[in-house]
Amino acid sequence: ATAGKRGAAVVLSAGAASALCAPGGPLALACGAVAGAAAWVATDMALMAIDEALFRKSMKAELTEELQAQRGQLREAMRVQLQLAAGAYGAQAASAVDKLFVPAAQD
């Protein structure tokens, strides 16, 4: 729905800009394109400001909730990775010690 509103705003603003530049002669097309782009940017900025004003709290709560979930998943993934690395290091150290350790001969 938002994309449709923005598309309609672009078309309307470009049409209004072209009508404004129509008496410009050979530069009317360039004038209309520049004015249309400026009107499009202004319209888009206004719509984003309105969206932010209306939905800021809910968007912030949604983002915070998602970040908390991501944090928990990342913490668990790091814990598992640390356990795997510690286990691999322990096995490697034990193997190195077993290769180098030569027990004293018992007479």
Side-chain angles (χ1 to χ4, degrees):
T2 304
K5 289 179 188 175
R6 288 188 179 163
V10 168
V11 170
L12 290 175
S13 58
S18 294
L20 236 153
C21 294
L27 297 177
L29 186 59
C31 178
V34 170
W40 174 36
V41 169
T43 303
D44 199 41
M45 288 176 65
L47 288 174
M48 287 190 325
I50 291 169
D51 275 352
E52 182 181 353
L54 292 175
F55 303 111
R56 183 181 182 98
K57 286 183 182 179
S58 63
M59 287 174 62
K60 183 177 179 181
E62 205 174 288
L63 286 171
T64 302
E65 181 181 321
E66 184 62 31
L67 284 173
Q68 291 297 332
Q70 293 277 331
R71 181 180 288 164
Q73 292 171 356
L74 180 60
R75 182 177 289 127
E76 181 61 23
M78 289 176 67
R79 188 186 64 74
V80 167
Q81 196 69 18
L82 179 62
Q83 284 180 339
L84 290 173
Y89 179 76
Q92 184 181 13
S95 175
V97 168
D98 288 344
K99 288 179 186 175
L100 296 176
F101 182 70
V102 179
Q106 301 237 341
D107 287 330

